Amino acid sequence: GQVNLKSPDHKFCLLETADYGLNNGLPPIAQRRIFFGREVGGADRKLIPTYQLKSRTYLGPTAMDAEMAFLMANQALATSGKLVFDPFVGTGSILVGAAHFGAMTM
């Protein structure tokens, strides 16, 4: 088949680690591990500057970072047609993340 390097259908990654740990004065023994995997998901990092804390009008003492709010909204499967209820809204970070994914927020 043809190979498309600019827009591949699958992305693979190879990671290699070496642990030289403490050996109580003995020569070091390297424990190598090799991991091979396929990317199953990615993140749209371009969203973070749009919703970052610097661009907000109001910040409280416990304002949640935009990246963490997007992670929580993603784990909650916030999509259109779903309701996200946050009774202790604070500065609204989680609600902003959920609303971006199309959920109704309250």
Side-chain angles (χ1 to χ4, degrees), residues 8-74:
D9 293 332
H10 301 282
K11 292 182 183 180
F12 296 97
C13 184
L14 180 70
L15 300 173
E16 181 179 3
T17 64
D19 182 20
Y20 288 97
L22 296 175
N23 291 322
N24 297 327
L26 298 173
I29 300 172
Q31 295 178 348
R32 268 181 52 191
R33 290 185 178 184
I34 297 175
F35 300 96
F36 179 75
R38 181 172 66 95
E39 182 180 287
V40 294
D44 189 4
R45 304 285 304 172
K46 293 175 276 189
L47 289 177
I48 302 301
T50 306
Y51 295 105
Q52 67 184 350
L53 292 175
K54 294 177 191 174
S55 64
R56 300 231 182 124
T57 308
Y58 173 75
L59 285 179
T62 59
M64 182 182 294
D65 190 47
E67 189 170 1
M68 183 62 70
F70 278 123
L71 287 172
M72 291 178 72
N74 193 16

Side-chain angles (χ1 to χ4, degrees), residues 68-91:
M68 183 62 70
F70 278 123
L71 287 172
M72 291 178 72
N74 193 16
Q75 286 181 340
L77 302 175
T79 57
S80 61
K82 301 247 178 114
L83 174 67
V84 176
F85 180 67
D86 187 4
F88 305 103
V89 70
T91 57

